[in-house]
Amino acid sequence: MPTLVLGLLVGGNTPAMASPSGGEPTAVVSMGDSYISGEAGRWLGNSNTQAGSRSGTDRAYTATGYDPTLVYGSTYASGCDRSDSAEVRSSTGIGDVQINLACSGATTANIFRSTSGGRSLKGEAPQADQLAKVASTNRVKLIALSIGGNDLGFADIIATCAADYTVWYSYCHDDQQKVVDSRMAAAMAGVSKSIKEIRAVMSASGYSTNDYRIILQSAPSPIPRSSENRYPQSGWTRVTTGGCPFWNKDADWARDTFTPQFSARMKAVAEAEQVQFLDLQDMLQGREVCSKTTRLATSAQGPSAETSEWARFLVSGVMQGTLQESFHPNYYAQRALGRCLTLIYAHPTRNYACRNTPGRDASGMYLTAVS
C-alpha cells in the first residue's frame, strides 16, 4: 500500500495525519484482547493459600492488603487489565517505547476505526483510533495483534465446560464444537478486517507497508490434555485443588481440536492479509493449569518460573483476584510471550511457532519455522 500524502482522505472520513519526521521514539504496539493485554499478570503461578501473599504468588500483596494497581495500573479500574508484564512490556530491543492498547474482553469490533463501525470498550475509543494518535507521535516499528477469541466466545465456552463438569455431569465438547463452527467464519472475517483497519490507519498516518510490521498471533490452551493432568477426573480435586474442572474428553477437545483449529484459521488470515503469524498453540505445553510437570506453590516451596504453572487457575471458593483472570497467561507466561515477540522480531519473514523448554524460564523460549 503506498504512502499517502498529507490531506488525502481514507474512506472519505478520516483525514490523513502527518507522518513522524524521524526524531520521534520508535515504538512497538500491542493491540487486541486479554491474551495480550496482560490479564493475570498479577500472579506468579498458583497457590491454594488464601491469606497474605498466597505463598508468594500474589504480586499485588502489600503486607497490609492488596493493591492490583501495582500490576495493572489505572487500567484495573476499567477492567482492561494491562499488566506491567504484558507481552509488549516484556519484549526487548524492538522499540524505544512499548505501548499496550489491548483491553481484556475486546472483540474485533473494538479494533475497527469508529468511522468503520468500531465500538468503544470500557470507556476507551476503538483501538485503531488510539493507534492513529500513537502513530503520529512515534515511529511504530511493530504491531502485535491478538484478537478473535472473544468473537468465538472463549469465556462462554470455558464457563459451559466447567459447569458441565461441576453441575451437569455431561460433556461440552460436542455442543461447543458446533458453537465454534457456527461463529468461526464471522470471527475470522473480523480478524481480517482488523488488519485492514490497522493498515488504513498506518497509511493515513504517512507510513508505507515497509515502515512497520504486523504480527498476528494465536492463543495457547491453558489446560492440558487428559493424559498430562495430575488430577483424576473422578472426585473433586480438579475443582477444589487444581482449578481445572473439565472432563478428560473435553480437555482433549480443547487442547487437540479447538486450539489447533483456531491457530490454523488465524494462520490462514495472516497469509491472506500478508502479515506474519506467530503460532502459540504449544507455548504453554507442560506449563498448563493442572499439568503433571508443574506444581502449586506452598508456604514451604514458593513459586518459580521453572516449576510453577504459567496460566491462572479457575478462581473458586475464597476469592483470589478476579474471575476474569482465570485461564490467562500469568506473569511467567507473559515474560515468555515477550521473549517470543523479541525472537520473531529478529526474523522479518516467514511464520513461526514459539515453544518453551521444560525446566527453563522465559530464556528457554525458542522459535520453529511454520510452513
Side-chain angles (χ1 to χ4, degrees):
M1 186 180 297
T3 301
L4 297 185
V5 297
L6 185 64
L8 290 180
L9 298 180
V10 178
N13 293 306
T14 306
M17 301 176 68
S19 62
S21 62
E24 297 82 0
T26 57
V28 52
V29 181
S30 60
M31 303 176 67
D33 54 28
S34 55
Y35 263 75
I36 199 169
S37 75
E39 186 73 81
R42 173 177 175 174
W43 303 97
L44 298 167
N46 298 308
S47 173
N48 284 323
T49 303
Q50 300 294 349
S53 69
R54 282 82 183 241
S55 296
T57 62
D58 192 348
R59 299 176 59 229
Y61 182 58
T62 66
T64 58
Y66 304 96
D67 183 5
T69 65
L70 294 175
V71 175
Y72 300 119
S74 61
T75 66
Y76 178 70
S78 69
C80 279
D81 284 358
R82 299 184 184 110
S83 76
D84 57 355
S85 60
E87 179 180 321
V88 70
R89 297 283 300 276
S90 293
S91 65
T92 59
I94 299 178
D96 299 322
V97 294
Q98 300 82 40
I99 300 173
N100 188 356
L101 301 179
C103 183
S104 186
T107 64
T108 54
N110 301 125
I111 302 294
F112 311 156
R113 294 167 296 168
S114 57
T115 55
S116 296
R119 297 198 293 266
S120 299
L121 178 68
K122 299 179 180 178
E124 296 187 355
Q127 291 178 35
D129 292 343
Q130 296 181 54
L131 176 64
K133 296 180 180 179
V134 170
S136 67
T137 56
N138 301 272
R139 286 183 292 132
V140 176
K141 305 300 292 183
L142 178 67
I143 300 168
L145 175 64
S146 172
I147 199 68
N150 291 320
D151 295 70
L152 290 175
F154 269 10
D156 291 339
I157 292 170
I158 290 172
T160 298
C161 291
D164 280 352
Y165 182 85
T166 59
V167 179
W168 305 114
Y169 301 98
S170 60
Y171 294 125
C172 73
H173 63 272
D174 45 359
D175 290 340
Q176 293 309 299
Q177 183 63 60
K178 294 177 182 177
V179 170
V180 169
D181 290 342
S182 70
R183 295 175 177 172
M184 185 64 76
M188 294 302 104
V191 175
S192 179
K193 182 177 177 180
S194 295
I195 296 171
K196 289 181 171 67
E197 290 288 297
I198 291 171
R199 291 284 196 206
V201 166
M202 297 299 288
S203 181
S205 298
Y207 291 73
S208 73
T209 55
N210 294 325
D211 291 333
Y212 67 98
R213 287 158 59 189
I214 298 174
I215 295 178
L216 178 67
Q217 57 191 57
S218 60
S221 171
I223 59 172
R225 52 182 60 88
S226 61
S227 62
E228 297 168 352
N229 195 310
R230 64 178 180 266
Y231 304 105
Q233 70 172 344
S234 60
W236 289 96
T237 51
R238 287 190 183 180
V239 178
T240 60
T241 305
C244 57
F246 303 99
W247 295 111
N248 285 344
K249 287 186 178 180
D250 291 338
D252 288 343
W253 167 76
R255 180 66 182 84
D256 292 328
T257 300
F258 174 45
T259 300
Q261 178 186 8
F262 180 64
S263 290
R265 293 299 296 268
M266 292 287 276
K267 178 174 179 286
V269 170
E271 291 174 344
E273 296 299 333
Q274 298 183 356
V275 300
Q276 268 188 297
F277 176 63
L278 179 59
D279 187 352
L280 298 175
Q281 64 177 302
D282 296 318
M283 179 260 168
L284 290 177
Q285 174 61 39
R287 313 298 188 115
E288 307 98 334
V289 177
C290 296
S291 172
K292 287 180 178 179
T293 52
T294 58
R295 61 171 180 80
L296 296 175
T298 65
S299 57
Q301 193 172 12
S304 76
E306 291 78 14
T307 61
S308 293
E309 296 166 337
W310 282 13
R312 184 66 177 149
F313 59 14
L314 180 64
V315 176
S316 61
V318 178
M319 294 295 288
Q320 291 189 27
T322 61
L323 179 62
Q324 73 180 45
E325 292 174 308
S326 301
F327 299 121
H328 285 88
N330 63 22
Y331 174 86
Y332 295 132
Q334 288 173 23
R335 296 291 294 174
L337 287 165
R339 179 60 180 162
C340 293
L341 193 61
T342 299
L343 291 172
I344 196 171
Y345 182 69
H347 299 276
T349 60
R350 301 194 64 178
N351 301 322
Y352 290 89
C354 195
R355 297 181 172 88
N356 74 80
T357 301
R360 295 274 302 279
D361 60 10
S363 66
M365 303 305 294
Y366 64 95
L367 299 179
T368 57
V370 176
S371 59

